[in-house]
């Protein structure tokens, strides 16, 4: 009988890995971890350079399958055989279990966050490009003072607009989720400050909310259930919105100031 220490850790494409842990299986990805309890696993299949973890399902229901691609074939076989040997088939025959309802997804970056970070990255690159172009052009046509002013003020103004864009789009995104989202209650989990809520597919999602009380009333995006907001805007959300407006006005003021300074050259 193999032990957990003898079951290899699988590393696949896009920095994903699958590990056998005392509680079951842990599938780690770039943006989320999926905790699969042992009682939720029906079987593990090695399929060439991929491994499929099939969950238990009620009679007549289609089982959920999690996959990891791009793993070593020999390690995939050893992993599947090791995990399957630890599964008790007698217990599975005696009890119907909805495996997906036992799985907990811990998302670090939602789809919206990933898109917002990409927008911020391209906006920052654009600001740097504009700064260099203005400094070089101004230095050739207006003298040495022009690039000094440009290099000093343009990144600050760009940072104001970038921060404003991030905060205001987040506020609009939260408002959209409250309008179209699904209301749910998150219940306390095992650790202090941790809560779990279930989406329409019965998958559990973990969240951290300190001093939130016996439950958290929230709304999640039906297109990305890991993306959630509270039913009503909290203090920090209102503060973030105010900060977005303030930094936008600072950016406008910076543009006016740099225009005034350059007009005197």
């Amino acid at each position: 009988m193999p032990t957990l220490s003898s079951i290899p850790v699988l590393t696949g494409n896009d920095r994903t890995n699958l590990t056998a842990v005392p509680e079951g299986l842990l599938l780690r990805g770039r943006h989320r971890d999926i905790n699969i309890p042992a009682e939720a696993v029906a079987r593990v299949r090695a399929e060439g350079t991929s491994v499929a973890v099939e969950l238990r399902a009620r009679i007549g229901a289609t089982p959920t399958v999690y996959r990891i691609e791009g793993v070593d074939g020999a390690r995939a076989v050893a992993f599947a055989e090791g995990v399957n040997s630890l599964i008790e088939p007698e217990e599975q025959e005696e009890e119907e279990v909805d495996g997906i309802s036992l799985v907990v997804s811990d998302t670090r970056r939602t789809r919206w966050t990933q898109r917002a970070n990409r927008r911020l990255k391209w906006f920052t690159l654009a600001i740097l490009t504009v700064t260099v172009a203005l400094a070089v052009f101004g230095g050739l046509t207006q003298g040495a003072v022009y690039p000094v002013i440009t290099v000093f003020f343009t990144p600050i103004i760009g940072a104001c607009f970038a921060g404003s864009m991030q905060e205001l789009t987040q506020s609009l995104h939260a408002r959209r989720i409250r309008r179209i989202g699904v209301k749910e209650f998150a219940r306390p989990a095992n650790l202090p400050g941790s809560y779990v809520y279930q989406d329409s597919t019965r998958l559990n999602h973990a969240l951290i909310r300190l001093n939130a009380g016996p439950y958290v009333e929230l709304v999640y995006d039906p297109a990305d259930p890991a993306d959630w907001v509270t039913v009503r805007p909290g203090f920090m959300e209102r503060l973030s919105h105010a900060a977005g407006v303030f930094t936008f006005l600072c950016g406008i003021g910076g543009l006016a100031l740099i225009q005034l300074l350059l007009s005197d050259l």
Side-chain angles (χ1 to χ4, degrees):
M1 174 75 68
T3 61
L4 287 178
S5 60
S6 67
I7 299 176
V9 176
L10 301 180
T11 302
N13 298 331
D14 202 22
R15 290 184 285 178
T16 59
N17 61 72
L18 181 62
T19 310
V21 295
E23 296 79 16
L25 301 177
L26 176 60
L27 178 60
R28 290 184 177 273
R30 291 181 60 191
H31 304 298
R32 71 168 179 168
D33 297 341
I34 299 176
N35 298 275
I36 309 173
E39 56 269 28
V41 180
R43 59 174 176 158
V44 178
R45 302 191 305 269
E47 301 172 345
T49 59
S50 68
V51 167
V53 178
E54 182 180 320
L55 303 186
R56 297 171 66 179
R58 300 189 185 280
I59 296 176
T62 302
T64 300
V65 177
Y66 289 105
R67 294 181 182 276
I68 179 171
E69 307 282 351
V71 301
D72 178 78
R75 294 174 71 86
V77 172
F79 184 92
E81 291 178 349
V83 173
N84 286 332
S85 67
L86 298 178
I87 297 174
E88 300 294 340
E90 295 82 5
E91 294 182 5
Q92 293 198 5
E93 291 176 1
E94 294 174 358
E95 183 183 2
E96 272 193 83
V97 173
D98 184 14
I100 191 64
S101 66
L102 303 176
V103 175
V104 177
S105 174
D106 186 2
T107 302
R108 295 181 293 276
R109 289 185 180 179
T110 63
R111 297 172 191 170
W112 185 89
T113 303
Q114 296 173 43
R115 292 194 297 269
N117 288 343
R118 284 195 295 269
R119 286 197 302 267
L120 184 60
K121 179 180 69 176
W122 286 111
F123 185 82
T124 302
L125 181 61
I127 290 296
L128 292 176
T129 302
V130 169
T131 300
V132 172
L134 289 176
V136 172
F137 178 78
L140 294 175
T141 59
Q142 303 292 331
V145 179
Y146 192 103
V148 173
I149 295 176
T150 302
V151 170
F152 181 80
F153 282 103
T154 305
I156 298 176
I157 296 171
C160 287
F161 282 122
S164 175
M165 177 185 69
Q166 194 79 345
E167 298 296 341
L168 293 178
T169 54
Q170 172 66 52
S171 179
L172 292 173
H173 177 66
R175 185 177 300 178
R176 184 188 69 86
I177 292 180
R178 291 190 179 96
R179 187 178 69 253
I180 68 167
V182 179
K183 183 182 289 188
E184 188 54 78
F185 290 92
R187 305 295 180 181
N190 297 327
L191 299 176
S194 63
Y195 293 79
V196 173
Y197 66 94
Q198 199 170 80
D199 65 22
S200 58
T201 67
R202 304 183 308 284
L203 175 65
N204 296 297
H205 297 269
L207 63 94
I208 301 296
R209 192 78 174 179
L210 299 177
N211 302 321
Y215 61 87
V216 176
E217 190 176 8
L218 56 85
V219 181
Y220 68 82
D221 187 346
D224 184 11
D227 194 356
W228 64 274
V229 295
T230 54
V231 173
R232 296 178 182 83
F235 171 75
M236 293 304 298
E237 189 173 334
R238 291 192 292 269
L239 180 63
S240 176
H241 181 81
V245 174
F246 177 74
T247 52
F248 178 79
L249 295 177
C250 288
I252 295 295
L255 286 177
L257 177 61
I258 196 174
Q259 179 65 31
L260 178 64
L261 292 174
L262 294 178
S263 63
D264 293 335
L265 295 180

